[in-house]
Amino acid sequence: MAWFKRSSRISFLATILAVALTLGLAVNLSAQMPSPLSSTSMSSRLPNQWEFSAPTGPGKSIPDNRMGGGTRGPGDEESCLQSNASLTALVPASGIGETASPYPTVFWYMPQSSASEVEFVLRDTKEEEIFSAKYTLAKSAQRSATGVPGIMSLSLPAFANLSPLEIGQEYRWTVALVCNAIDRSSDITAEGGIRRVELNSTLAQSVQQATVLERVALFANAKPKLWYETLGTLVELQRDYPNDADLKQAWNKLLNSIGLDTTFKKPISS
């Protein structure tokens, strides 16, 4: 992670962006690795559309800023974005994704920018901040841009005095590109929601006995569907099989299912 001065729990997942998406550059695939699937296509086991996850209980609202900075173009003096791409939280269209994990991993798309820092904040339903992390972004020596575009992740840490997410509770997370550390009103932000649900014993046993490949289908077809586990497991498979055509198709279908089929570019490999 050359463009971070400290890596901590945050990681640049450039390997999964070998996926050829609509706005991406043409991908010249090398010799294909054998597919990890023996018979059934991975993409056929994913839903065509992720169901809408409405907030539950009084006073709860849906995150409505999944994409940040989409209206600001290159050269806009009020924006630190270096392209037309948007900072994007990888969450369903409803803004809320379910998880069974007490410390889930969240993902977002980081566009190329001249931002000085990236900040992550997690809040509960009372809008009280329960965890935050800020990281300095290293600038390229050739240009005033932060690295290359890519998908980033942050795993909520169990070691930072952060209590496990409560079952049945909803949380809101925000990621911000800090364009001006003095004037934070120019931040570009995107947000997503997390609802922790209980993993029933039957599914828990199936997951324990399943291969990594089989877990994607189990998570994606659970009741309710486990968004953060589905996304994270597919990312793991992409890392292990970066040139697998079926996994590329599955990744495209997953993004299509949440309405993010034209958002991302293929980055320069790190």
Side-chain angles (χ1 to χ4, degrees):
M1 287 68 74
W3 40 301
F4 280 107
K5 291 184 179 178
R6 49 182 292 203
S7 58
S8 185
R9 299 281 293 173
I10 204 167
S11 60
F12 179 61
L13 302 179
T15 53
I16 68 173
L17 288 175
V19 183
L21 300 178
T22 305
L23 291 183
L25 304 175
V27 179
N28 295 320
L29 296 177
S30 57
Q32 294 290 308
M33 293 178 63
S35 172
L37 297 173
S38 58
S39 56
T40 306
S41 165
M42 167 65 72
S43 60
S44 68
R45 303 165 76 177
L46 295 176
N48 292 319
Q49 184 173 5
W50 210 268
E51 73 267 20
F52 187 87
S53 298
T56 58
K60 297 186 178 180
S61 61
I62 296 173
D64 58 0
N65 187 30
R66 182 172 63 161
M67 302 175 69
T71 60
R72 298 175 178 177
D76 188 336
E77 293 182 353
E78 297 182 356
S79 172
C80 60
L81 295 181
Q82 301 293 308
S83 72
N84 288 319
S86 301
L87 177 69
T88 306
L90 296 192
V91 291
S94 66
I96 300 175
E98 275 82 12
T99 182
S101 173
Y103 296 99
T105 298
V106 302
F107 298 83
W108 66 90
Y109 174 75
M110 178 77 82
Q112 190 174 69
S113 77
S114 59
S116 60
E117 298 173 308
V118 59
E119 182 179 51
F120 176 90
V121 177
L122 179 70
R123 294 182 173 87
D124 60 19
T125 53
K126 297 179 181 179
E127 290 299 315
E128 293 181 356
E129 182 179 308
I130 59 175
F131 175 75
S132 65
K134 186 183 290 184
Y135 301 88
T136 300
L137 298 174
K139 301 289 181 62
S140 166
Q142 291 76 31
R143 55 192 174 183
S144 59
T146 301
V148 293
I151 291 178
M152 302 189 72
S153 70
L154 184 144
S155 297
L156 297 181
F159 54 81
N161 295 322
L162 174 63
S163 299
L165 301 189
E166 296 182 27
I167 293 175
Q169 296 300 308
E170 293 173 6
Y171 301 83
R172 183 191 300 259
W173 58 272
T174 303
V175 61
L177 289 177
V178 182
C179 298
N180 186 331
I182 298 176
D183 180 11
R184 294 295 301 273
S185 65
S186 61
D187 284 7
I188 297 173
T189 63
E191 63 181 20
I194 301 173
R195 179 187 295 134
R196 189 183 173 197
V197 297
E198 187 171 9
L199 189 65
N200 68 64
S201 57
T202 300
L203 179 57
Q205 183 176 5
S206 297
V207 169
Q208 187 176 14
Q209 297 173 347
T211 64
V212 175
L213 184 68
E214 294 168 336
R215 288 174 195 161
V216 176
L218 288 172
F219 292 139
N221 293 286
K223 299 294 182 182
K225 293 178 172 62
L226 300 177
W227 167 254
Y228 288 98
E229 283 80 355
T230 302
L231 179 62
T233 308
L234 192 54
V235 165
E236 181 181 346
L237 283 167
Q238 287 274 350
R239 183 172 59 242
D240 293 341
Y241 299 90
N243 295 320
D244 185 85
D246 185 56
L247 287 176
K248 294 177 190 299
Q249 185 177 3
W251 177 253
N252 283 327
K253 185 174 181 179
L254 186 66
L255 292 183
N256 284 333
S257 75
I258 61 170
L260 292 179
D261 55 328
T262 61
T263 302
F264 308 113
K265 287 186 177 181
K266 173 185 176 294
I268 302 170
S269 298
S270 62

